[in-house]
Amino acid sequence: MSAASAFDDDIRRARALEQANPAEAGRIYMSVLEQDPANIEASNALERLNDPHRYSSWMRINCVIDPRDDIFRFIGTGPYSHNPIREYLSDGWRTLSELMVVMDKLDQPLTRVSSFLEFASGFGRFTRHLVKVLPGRVACSDVMPGSMEFAREQFGVEAFYSSFEPEQIEFPRRYEVVFVLSLLTHLPIEVWGRWLKVLAGAVAPGGVLIFTVHNEEVLRDQLGVKFDETGYSFLPSSESPSLEASQYGTSLATAQVVAEQVRQALGTDPVLWEECAFWVGHDAIAIRPHG
Ligand SMILES: C[S@@+](CC[C@H](N)C(=O)[O-])C[C@H]1O[C@@H](n2cnc3c(N)ncnc32)[C@H](O)[C@@H]1O
């Protein structure tokens, strides 16, 4: 995506100028970004320099992007990506507004939530927006090496590493909201029940677990997925080159299969199933483990 190497000399020149002439360094970084809009190094340098053209002066959130962020690369190479950095950053706004609609439907407005766990938070595509709404009330968790240090340093959140074995995760506490955007969509259905139990166990009394699955109609009608009699299929590929595809691929299931999984694992039905609540075709499913 980003031909960063073509701009290495410019980046080096700008870096050498940062202390003596930050305005000139900023101009060079901007010129790199104009030619290579996915150049995170130039954008992060503008943030570091407090340059007036940095994204954070417009968005009013932390706009530092970690180069290890697979979701950034995924968004940056997508068909709608004309300006990868802007689109990555503003995609988090989309999640925030979509989540607020879901929380309102649950009669539990996001702004009043006392503690929020963003599980499978990656390198903070959404976390950076969430901390502005819930300062001091956000925790996050993921498995990607470096992601939790990044979250702590950049967003000041409580951050703890997850595990590939759900039962081994050590949650520091329970949370009013446990939000899991697009994790089950990647995990084989054989492990969903274990994940649902563990994630529901991290919800405090009166709280809610919200997770997403692919919308069946979108899968069938827009993506041409044909289900066999099991109502389920698993593709060993995902947006992430970092994670093992047999453990983290693309998991497709009919609504009936999803509902059965929830009932079997938690002995309850969702209190809300909002079709296409997130992105193009992610349904939001909300469970109240404590009734
Ligand atoms: C599709 S990405 C979504 C990231 C984030 N929720 C967002 O909206 O930007 C799925 C995330 O799940 C994380 N993940 C994969 N396996 C995990 C596990 N066992 N525990 C926690 N997170 C995991 C990946 O590292 C990745 O960050």
Side-chain angles (χ1 to χ4, degrees), residues 61-78:
I61 54 158
N62 183 314
C63 290
V64 175
I65 300 174
D66 194 293
R68 295 165 292 187
D69 190 333
D70 290 336
I71 296 292
F72 171 74
R73 264 182 297 278
F74 178 64
I75 291 179
T77 52

Side-chain angles (χ1 to χ4, degrees), residues 85-226:
I85 294 176
R86 188 191 187 286
E87 277 145 34
Y88 168 87
L89 292 168
S90 55
D91 204 55
W93 268 340
R94 177 177 186 174
T95 300
L96 182 63
S97 60
E98 290 173 335
L99 178 62
M100 286 178 113
V101 173
V102 169
M103 300 286 309
D104 268 16
K105 291 193 172 169
L106 287 165
D107 225 357
Q108 201 161 1
L110 180 68
T111 52
R112 304 219 195 119
V113 165
S114 59
S115 58
F116 189 111
L117 173 61
E118 186 197 358
F119 193 81
S121 51
F123 280 90
R125 182 194 66 86
F126 175 48
T127 323
R128 63 191 74 228
H129 298 272
L130 191 58
V131 291
K132 189 173 173 189
V133 179
L134 299 177
R137 287 176 271 168
V138 176
C140 59
S141 185
D142 202 285
V143 282
M144 287 305 294
S147 61
M148 295 298 96
E149 289 80 0
F150 181 78
R152 265 179 233 128
E153 282 158 21
Q154 298 296 332
F155 314 130
V157 294
E158 176 187 16
F160 58 96
Y161 276 101
S162 175
S163 164
F164 290 101
E165 302 300 328
E167 298 78 11
Q168 286 177 11
I169 303 169
E170 292 181 23
F171 294 92
R173 53 170 293 182
R174 291 195 285 173
Y175 304 86
E176 183 182 342
V177 177
V178 176
F179 177 56
V180 194
L181 180 54
S182 192
L183 174 62
L184 266 67
T185 48
H186 292 285
L187 303 180
I189 204 156
E190 292 78 14
V191 299
W192 278 25
R194 289 169 58 203
W195 277 100
L196 286 171
K197 281 184 190 140
V198 165
L199 292 168
V203 175
V208 65
L209 165 66
I210 302 171
F211 66 94
T212 66
V213 295
H214 291 295
N215 176 266
E216 181 178 344
E217 213 173 291
V218 170
L219 291 179
R220 286 185 193 276
D221 299 348
Q222 291 182 28
L223 302 177
V225 173
K226 293 192 188 349

Side-chain angles (χ1 to χ4, degrees), residues 19-89:
Q19 286 223 320
N21 192 346
E24 180 55 19
R27 272 191 288 278
I28 299 171
Y29 286 130
M30 268 312 290
S31 141
V32 169
L33 267 182
E34 276 156 18
Q35 299 166 75
D36 178 18
N39 197 304
I40 303 178
E41 209 179 340
S43 180
N44 285 347
L46 293 175
E47 297 297 329
R48 185 169 64 239
L49 287 174
N50 231 14
D51 188 276
H53 295 104
R54 69 197 187 282
Y55 274 107
S56 60
S57 71
W58 166 62
M59 289 194 141
R60 300 197 178 283
I61 54 158
N62 183 314
C63 290
V64 175
I65 300 174
D66 194 293
R68 295 165 292 187
D69 190 333
D70 290 336
I71 296 292
F72 171 74
R73 264 182 297 278
F74 178 64
I75 291 179
T77 52
Y80 303 103
S81 189
H82 306 296
N83 184 342
I85 294 176
R86 188 191 187 286
E87 277 145 34
Y88 168 87
L89 292 168

